[in-house]
Amino acid sequence: MFCDAHIGDSAVKNDAAGAAKDSFLITDARYRIAVQISVADPFWVQVREAVLRQAQHVNCELLTLSTAADGLREVTNAAQIYEELQVQNIHAVICNSIDQTLLAMLRTSAVPVVDASESTITHSLYTSRRGLYDAAYDIGVWLRGRIVPTATVLVVGGFDEMGLSRLAGIRAALTANPTVTVVHISCEWQYDDGYRAVADWVRTHPADECAAVVGLSDSL
């Protein structure tokens, strides 16, 4: 389940190279942190690299979870992952979204979770990204000044609670003009997902015109 990616005063092992997954270096690292940031697009590659670089400046050992492509967002083996985290004496978890069952288990052990994605969860041991509402609102204000008052705007991306703050921000800015119509097209975050979703909308709404298309992530 784990790949060794120790970063500290002693050495760095490349977890991506498939180094020994069942053995760990015995080090004097003060903290052991599990990192599960899936790298499905360039943004998350940069986030993960930033975590690895920052770890070089603190006394910690990073352990990378070898889970599904979606990371910890939806898992069927939460109890197994939790048990392994306990065995490895993990002090914290850094991820980009996390399964609710696993999160509840981690709370019982007082393990802090840093979620690099956005979430509506509030808990003293859980923190997630903030400020996306304001960023989306600013984009909406800019766009509102450049479209006709009766325009239809397609907002692409997001599902479940993923992307909700961005959607709320841009919707609030655009609908400050009550004659503007905002259509949200839910989809995953990859370009191909957005392209197919928009193409489907155009195909099923041949009589409708849109003045603008806004993607809720860089990859869209």
Side-chain angles (χ1 to χ4, degrees), residues 131-140:
L132 296 178
Y133 177 97
D134 295 334
Y137 186 89
D138 289 344
I139 292 172

Side-chain angles (χ1 to χ4, degrees), residues 183-220:
V183 177
H184 177 227
I185 301 177
S186 179
C187 70
E188 293 275 359
W189 299 110
Q190 298 302 302
Y191 173 83
D192 290 343
D193 299 316
Y195 183 90
R196 285 192 298 269
V198 172
D200 288 343
W201 186 90
V202 171
R203 187 163 46 251
T204 56
H205 298 78
D208 296 338
E209 295 184 2
C210 67
V213 178
V214 181
L216 292 182
S217 77
D218 293 345
S219 54
L220 290 172

Side-chain angles (χ1 to χ4, degrees), residues 91-102:
H91 297 98
V93 174
I94 300 175
C95 59
N96 54 342
S97 75
I98 187 168
D99 178 79
Q100 297 297 300
T101 300
L102 179 58

Side-chain angles (χ1 to χ4, degrees), residues 128-179:
S128 61
R129 191 162 36 153
R130 298 290 187 269
L132 296 178
Y133 177 97
D134 295 334
Y137 186 89
D138 289 344
I139 292 172
V141 170
W142 179 88
L143 182 59
R144 192 180 68 212
R146 288 161 175 79
I147 57 177
V148 298
T150 57
T152 294
V153 177
L154 303 185
V155 180
V156 184
F159 51 92
D160 298 330
E161 71 171 21
M162 304 295 290
L164 282 184
S165 65
R166 279 168 278 184
L167 176 60
I170 197 164
R171 190 189 297 276
L174 290 172
T175 57
N177 184 339
T179 57

Side-chain angles (χ1 to χ4, degrees), residues 11-218:
V12 176
K13 279 192 177 182
N14 186 356
D15 60 298
K21 296 184 178 181
D22 297 320
S23 61
F24 295 84
L25 292 176
I26 303 302
T27 72
D28 59 354
R30 182 177 181 183
Y31 300 109
R32 293 166 66 85
I33 301 175
V35 178
Q36 178 56 44
I37 299 178
S38 56
V39 289
D41 62 56
F43 172 78
W44 290 115
V45 172
Q46 294 180 50
V47 172
R48 186 176 184 279
E49 289 303 312
V51 172
L52 297 177
R53 285 197 302 271
Q54 182 60 30
Q56 298 179 41
H57 303 296
V58 294
N59 187 19
C60 73
E61 182 179 0
L62 298 187
L63 303 172
T64 303
L65 290 166
S66 298
T67 56
D70 281 338
L72 300 178
R73 190 179 75 205
E74 295 177 356
V75 298
T76 58
N77 59 337
Q80 181 183 1
I81 294 173
Y82 175 72
E83 181 180 355
E84 187 69 19
L85 290 167
Q86 292 292 98
V87 168
Q88 299 301 336
N89 192 29
I90 296 300
H91 297 98
V93 174
I94 300 175
C95 59
N96 54 342
S97 75
I98 187 168
D99 178 79
Q100 297 297 300
T101 300
L102 179 58
L103 179 59
M105 292 177 176
L106 291 171
R107 287 175 180 171
T108 65
S109 299
V111 175
V113 175
V114 177
D115 192 339
S117 64
E118 62 178 334
S119 175
T120 58
I121 297 172
T122 57
H123 189 273
S124 59
L125 293 175
Y126 176 88
T127 186
S128 61
R129 191 162 36 153
R130 298 290 187 269
L132 296 178
Y133 177 97
D134 295 334
Y137 186 89
D138 289 344
I139 292 172
V141 170
W142 179 88
L143 182 59
R144 192 180 68 212
R146 288 161 175 79
I147 57 177
V148 298
T150 57
T152 294
V153 177
L154 303 185
V155 180
V156 184
F159 51 92
D160 298 330
E161 71 171 21
M162 304 295 290
L164 282 184
S165 65
R166 279 168 278 184
L167 176 60
I170 197 164
R171 190 189 297 276
L174 290 172
T175 57
N177 184 339
T179 57
V180 170
T181 300
V182 176
V183 177
H184 177 227
I185 301 177
S186 179
C187 70
E188 293 275 359
W189 299 110
Q190 298 302 302
Y191 173 83
D192 290 343
D193 299 316
Y195 183 90
R196 285 192 298 269
V198 172
D200 288 343
W201 186 90
V202 171
R203 187 163 46 251
T204 56
H205 298 78
D208 296 338
E209 295 184 2
C210 67
V213 178
V214 181
L216 292 182
S217 77
D218 293 345

